[in-house]
Amino acid sequence: MPIRRAKPAESLYAEVADHDLVVTPDAALASAINRRLDRPHFGTFATTPRRLAAGRREQAEDRRAFLELVTETDHDWKAVAYAVGNVLQCWEHTGRLDAILEYDAYVDDATREVVDVMRTLRTTSKRLSEYTVDEDLSVAGDQSVDGDRSLDGDRSVAVVGHDQLTELERSVLPEEFDRVELFADEAFDHPPFHVFESATDVVAALLDTVSARNAEHVAVVLDGGGKYSSLVESAFEAADVPFYGGPGFADDPHHRAFVRLLRLCFRGSETTVGDAAPVLSQLGIDAPIADRERRLESVDGAGAEWLRAFRDRVEDRTFAEALDAYASEAGVELSRLDEELRSLGLADEPVTDGAVDRLAYYLQTYEVPVDRDNEGVLLADAKSSAYVDRPVVFHLGMGEEWTHSAPQRPWVDTEAQFDRYVGSFQRLLQSGDRQYYLVQDAAGGEPITPCLYLGDLLDEAFDRFSDLDSVEHRRRPRSTGAGFERESTGIDPQSVETVSQSTLNSYVNSPRDYLFGRLLDTPDQERFVEGNLFHDFAEFYVNHPDVVAAADTDDLVDAMLDEAEAFFSAADEPLRRRTYRIGLDLITEYLDDEGPESDDFLTPASGWGTNFFAEHFDEPVDSPLTERWFEDDALGVKGKIDLVRSPTQLLDYKSGRKKRLTQVVKGAALDPPADAPNFQAALYLTYYRTVRPDERLEFAFFHFLEPMADVVAGDADLDDALTTVTYHPVAFDEYVGSREAYERLLDGYNDCRETFEDLGYAAYEEIAAPLTFPETTDRAELRASEFADRFTAAVDAETSADVDAEKGADQAIRELNRVRKRAFFRGDLDAFEAFVDERVEELNARRAGEERFPVDGLGGEPNYRRVDNRDLLLGGDR
């Protein structure tokens, strides 16, 4: 069916102007009709059934009933809330309070108690049940005021939108009344949907139009609990645009902080500074970023001390005393929250874990009334409103979140209720003289599903907003002049000359994430602290093996535990103690067996940084073999070599899981970059080949915790902890024809070995020299290549019939390809040098403001598992 045209308030008033009383389904429409009243009128003119029965003293009866019951019953609060909701809903749809008792599946002790209490409680539903509009009832004229319970005789009644009223609301109507339809006979030609790339673009477009000058003429319809609500409120506050209908009682920062503080008190020793940061912020205390992942128990500072003292005393306090302590520390008055605690019967109750849960549940379940200044832009909830009386109305989002959850109860006529929802939605779409539908077409790469009701109202088939009559809006600069002011500092941007492997990894994955990583402080993390301790131990052991040998290992482990204890609980200590001991033993064993024998081949290194064990033993660490810093402006790279094992061997300690050789080489891919870029091996070898030119080099990762399970089982092999990547100072085609490659083929598969033993190296070299190995690493493409054809034919021609030359050649190609995927060659590192030059040049251009730092990296959308500032990356090029 098409969208039916809703009658404007002016037309409705024209139809009901001659009546004495007008009943409408919602208060906003009643107010709109009343504002158009053009003649003197005594008493109420347009109103809702609930206001007619209860007057302007109407309150949220579910909350009122809940407050009445929780202080008089021993039932669980959730059970009481569930029963109250069922009783009121059943009453609404059947017109009878005790109708729910006919549904056995929903009747329990709590439900019966709720029904009994509500018989005497003067709720709005109770007043509706007792009140009827009686046209024959005559009362004195001076009694016909707002809140009356009766009407003069001869007064006519009009009901606007009778089908939108529930059974309980209809029970107040007289036997005779005039029905006025909400909709005209013609269809509504809706305006186009304005489609934006993101929610922030939607809000930016809203701010382009709304200002403090026109705020009184504007309404914004949105999902009251969704993302647009907080975005719009924040944007209006920043732009000094007045608004009302926004944050509720539970959204007050101090109310939220107080509940969070109480919850923290029962989390035990696992609470971190990051957990407490929102509370500390509301108390005006700055929690150092570096401490965010440390346990609250282990940090100093006035804020942490106050929190610990509050926690240690909380169970000896009542809620009122706890609130006073928080308010005093925060320097605020929280009288409204104190009143609510007293209404709940919690004020004088001791603070317990269960009571805190009940308080949190109440604040999440019920909307506590707050005083508002009704000035500025009206923010209307899409699921609570059916009519908005403002000249200009913006509808934001309009997705699935605008769809009501249909009541799944046997007393609800679901078809009739759905019709009410659709009717309200149609009216809401037409609110205002001008309507603007601002929507987002996709999020996270997936289309946003429009509100379910649109599917019933529009004849055309669609899956997303752009399938409908729509206008697409691309991101554009703000034209209002609002936002951050820019002032020239008169300072030229400082150029970056070199990048480290971690910087390059982050930048290639997402330049925007790299930028935020440079701008923002990051907390110390457990894995980094522990990793540094192991690195420091390895460095110290190379410098002073005799000192470590004379020390008690348990003392070293104790020192490490003391340093890292801020990040773990006492329950984790046995496992960590075992991990630390095994890690130290494996590092010691490796360095005893494979450590460097001499440092004569290196120049002295200048000491830099600190070392935990050097300070612990009060001994220097000055060997040129360990923690050797390099920075090469010509190459644009810098880094720190953990250990130089020999003139041609470098080693890096890793506490994480071991990677395969193919993973190491693949991580350094350039076109396109790997999903998880890792350029450490390529970068270090690129630098070190300038120190040892034309030499075969090795870079080994020693994952010293990898054999831990084998250590426990008693059969550890240190070779299982090593991943060693080789650099060959030749082009890969040169390597293919080399003696080393030939010898490798002789150590391969049977047919390969037999074929090339028969062939001999001289013939092999002559065959391989003029050939160019294909760029592809795909096995099927290699087999189908010209290289494979020519190589196989030449080998077959030069070998005897006793060998399977075709199979041997195929195995040889596979083995050569296997080598290529597990090592670096001269061309690989030449390309990497050029790649680094391009990234440094590009990075400096972006630092100079020539272009923005994009979210997407060279490989497209970043690997979000590898970003550090996910919440700051909005997606795309925003």
Side-chain angles (χ1 to χ4, degrees), residues 342-463:
R342 296 190 183 283
S343 298
L344 290 165
L346 289 177
D348 297 324
E349 291 294 316
V351 178
T352 63
D353 193 8
V356 173
D357 285 342
R358 293 196 295 273
L359 172 62
Y361 173 76
Y362 168 74
L363 294 175
Q364 292 166 2
T365 305
Y366 295 106
E367 185 65 41
V368 180
V370 294
D371 295 329
R372 301 184 188 275
D373 294 328
N374 294 340
E375 297 178 354
V377 177
L378 169 62
L379 302 184
D381 188 341
K383 289 193 288 192
S384 301
S385 306
Y387 178 81
V388 179
D389 189 27
R390 287 290 177 95
V392 179
V393 180
F394 292 91
H395 301 71
L396 270 56
M398 304 183 70
E400 287 182 302
E401 69 279 0
W402 278 39
T403 306
H404 294 78
S405 298
Q408 301 298 318
R409 296 291 187 270
W411 52 79
V412 177
D413 184 338
T414 54
E415 186 174 341
Q417 186 61 41
F418 182 79
D419 288 341
R420 291 190 190 99
Y421 289 151
V422 173
S424 296
F425 179 74
Q426 290 181 88
R427 293 165 57 210
L428 190 60
L429 289 182
Q430 302 173 56
S431 294
D433 298 327
R434 286 179 291 168
Q435 305 90 21
Y436 297 94
Y437 305 158
L438 311 185
V439 300
Q440 188 181 353
D441 201 43
E446 296 293 330
I448 289 179
T449 303
C451 178
L452 171 66
Y453 307 133
L454 286 171
D456 271 28
L457 296 173
L458 301 177
D459 294 331
E460 52 196 308
F462 61 90
D463 295 316

Side-chain angles (χ1 to χ4, degrees), residues 201-216:
D201 288 344
V202 169
V203 176
L206 179 68
L207 281 182
D208 282 342
T209 305
V210 182
S211 65
R213 290 187 303 171
N214 61 20
E216 295 291 336

Side-chain angles (χ1 to χ4, degrees), residues 736-797:
V736 169
S738 70
R739 169 70 70 171
E740 181 180 348
Y742 176 76
E743 295 291 342
R744 190 176 185 96
L745 299 182
L746 297 185
D747 194 33
Y749 301 103
N750 289 337
D751 289 306
C752 181
R753 183 180 67 255
E754 292 172 0
T755 297
F756 289 93
E757 282 179 346
D758 186 89
L759 179 66
Y761 174 65
Y764 170 80
E765 182 182 28
E766 185 176 346
I767 291 171
L771 299 180
T772 300
F773 205 87
E775 291 293 329
T776 182
T777 58
D778 181 79
R779 182 184 299 182
E781 293 178 2
L782 280 173
R783 284 174 168 169
S785 67
E786 181 183 355
F787 172 88
D789 292 341
R790 293 176 60 188
F791 182 74
T792 303
V795 171
D796 188 41

Side-chain angles (χ1 to χ4, degrees), residues 608-846:
W608 67 284
T610 60
N611 182 293
F612 175 80
F613 289 94
E615 295 176 357
H616 179 77
F617 287 106
D618 193 22
E619 296 281 358
V621 285
D622 51 13
S623 170
L625 297 168
T626 60
E627 303 295 309
R628 190 172 181 89
W629 176 259
F630 65 87
E631 188 163 5
D632 191 316
D633 291 348
L635 293 175
V637 298
K638 62 183 177 183
K640 177 167 60 66
I641 303 169
D642 287 349
L643 178 67
V644 183
R645 283 188 57 221
S646 75
T648 59
Q649 294 177 309
L650 308 180
L651 183 124
D652 194 79
Y653 302 104
K654 295 294 183 186
S655 56
R657 294 191 61 82
K658 180 183 175 182
K659 291 182 173 59
R660 300 187 304 274
L661 259 178
T662 51
Q663 290 177 296
V664 173
V665 175
K666 186 178 179 180
L670 305 178
D671 187 21
D675 181 57
N678 191 334
F679 299 107
Q680 182 175 10
L683 188 147
Y684 281 46
L685 288 168
T686 294
Y687 162 74
Y688 205 65
R689 71 173 180 168
T690 64
V691 179
R692 312 290 299 194
D694 301 322
E695 293 189 54
R696 187 176 184 273
L697 306 175
E698 290 182 353
F699 187 93
F701 294 100
F702 178 34
H703 298 267
F704 53 86
L705 293 180
E706 184 74 15
M708 195 165 77
D710 294 333
V711 170
V712 175
D715 58 352
D717 185 349
L718 287 180
D719 288 341
D720 294 337
L722 289 167
T723 300
T724 304
V725 60
T726 302
Y727 165 66
H728 300 275
V730 295
F732 183 63
D733 283 337
E734 294 179 58
Y735 173 83
V736 169
S738 70
R739 169 70 70 171
E740 181 180 348
Y742 176 76
E743 295 291 342
R744 190 176 185 96
L745 299 182
L746 297 185
D747 194 33
Y749 301 103
N750 289 337
D751 289 306
C752 181
R753 183 180 67 255
E754 292 172 0
T755 297
F756 289 93
E757 282 179 346
D758 186 89
L759 179 66
Y761 174 65
Y764 170 80
E765 182 182 28
E766 185 176 346
I767 291 171
L771 299 180
T772 300
F773 205 87
E775 291 293 329
T776 182
T777 58
D778 181 79
R779 182 184 299 182
E781 293 178 2
L782 280 173
R783 284 174 168 169
S785 67
E786 181 183 355
F787 172 88
D789 292 341
R790 293 176 60 188
F791 182 74
T792 303
V795 171
D796 188 41
E798 296 295 327
T799 53
S800 67
D802 295 335
V803 299
D804 188 343
E806 183 175 346
K807 190 172 182 180
D810 181 68
Q811 292 176 350
I813 293 172
R814 287 164 53 190
E815 181 62 23
L816 292 170
N817 189 48
R818 184 173 180 271
V819 171
R820 180 172 57 173
K821 292 193 294 183
R822 289 164 172 76
F824 293 116
F825 294 86
R826 186 172 60 207
D828 299 323
L829 297 194
D830 288 347
F832 180 72
E833 283 190 26
F835 179 81
V836 171
D837 287 342
E838 291 171 3
R839 300 289 76 75
V840 171
E841 182 179 353
E842 179 183 77
L843 173 58
N844 284 320
R846 288 169 175 165

Side-chain angles (χ1 to χ4, degrees), residues 61 109 120 140 180 206 212 229 313 339 466 488 493 512 547 565 620 656 687 697 702 709:
E61 57 183 339
D109 291 342
T120 57
V180 177
L206 179 68
S229 180
R313 293 188 54 199
E339 292 175 14
S466 58
S488 174
R512 184 78 58 85
V547 174
E565 69 171 346
Y687 162 74
L697 306 175
F702 178 34

